Amino acid sequence: MLNKGLRDDESIRIDNVLKTLRSLDFVPKMLTNDEKLDIENQLKEFGLNIQTLVDYDNDELITLLVRAHLDFNQLEQFADFLIAFSKVENYDFHGKALALYEYIQRESKIFSFGINIKIASAKNK
């Protein structure tokens, strides 16, 4: 278990990585090598890369992210990134995002209309 100071530093680091990932604009097209490298460098902070995102099943991804100390809000942001990243040709992470949203709704023990809307939207993809 991390002490409070380390937990705060870890949370700030995670938030910064998620801000960078979420700030990327994804449009339906092939990624350039530089764009892939930028994404890979950010995902590396969570012990991931694009290929492991593709390969991991939903439970493995959730376990990895929880072990990387992402809280429910950060998990939601990561799921939002997966939805946005799914716009890029050859990648469809709607199922993984849906699994994350459902995990958050179930495990947080707090009903969220926002998460519920995202679950419904991910199911329609």
Side-chain angles (χ1 to χ4, degrees):
M1 192 87 187
L2 297 172
N3 70 34
K4 176 133 175 60
L6 289 176
R7 226 180 11 245
D8 290 345
D9 290 345
E10 181 76 359
S11 184
I12 290 168
R13 182 188 67 77
I14 291 168
D15 285 339
N16 288 335
V17 171
L18 290 169
K19 279 181 197 169
T20 302
L21 284 172
R22 300 245 0 252
S23 70
L24 300 172
D25 289 325
F26 296 108
V27 294
K29 67 174 180 84
M30 293 294 290
L31 292 173
T32 66
N33 286 337
D34 287 341
E35 291 169 327
K36 281 185 181 180
L37 184 60
D38 288 343
I39 295 166
E40 296 271 351
N41 285 334
Q42 295 305 312
L43 290 174
K44 187 174 23 173
E45 294 293 323
F46 302 127
L48 290 166
N49 59 44
I50 294 172
Q51 190 58 49
T52 56
L53 268 180
V54 171
D55 293 342
Y56 279 10
D57 69 29
N58 297 345
D59 291 335
E60 288 174 317
L61 179 61
I62 291 168
T63 300
L64 178 85
L65 294 173
V66 169
R67 285 187 182 155
H69 307 289
L70 275 74
D71 62 24
F72 293 123
N73 184 46
Q74 293 164 333
L75 288 171
E76 180 181 357
Q77 290 178 49
F78 191 82
D80 294 345
F81 155 73
L82 290 176
I83 294 292
F85 193 36
S86 292
K87 293 177 186 171
V88 178
E89 190 174 323
N90 297 328
Y91 298 109
D92 182 8
F93 297 117
H94 288 94
K96 288 177 177 23
L98 175 61
L100 279 166
Y101 292 138
E102 289 174 337
Y103 172 83
I104 295 164
Q105 191 76 298
R106 182 179 61 252
E107 297 298 320
S108 70
K109 311 258 191 284
I110 298 171
F111 182 81
S112 166
F113 285 107
I115 294 289
N116 209 35
I117 290 169
K118 290 177 181 184
I119 288 171
S121 177
K123 283 182 177 179
N124 289 331
K125 296 293 177 180

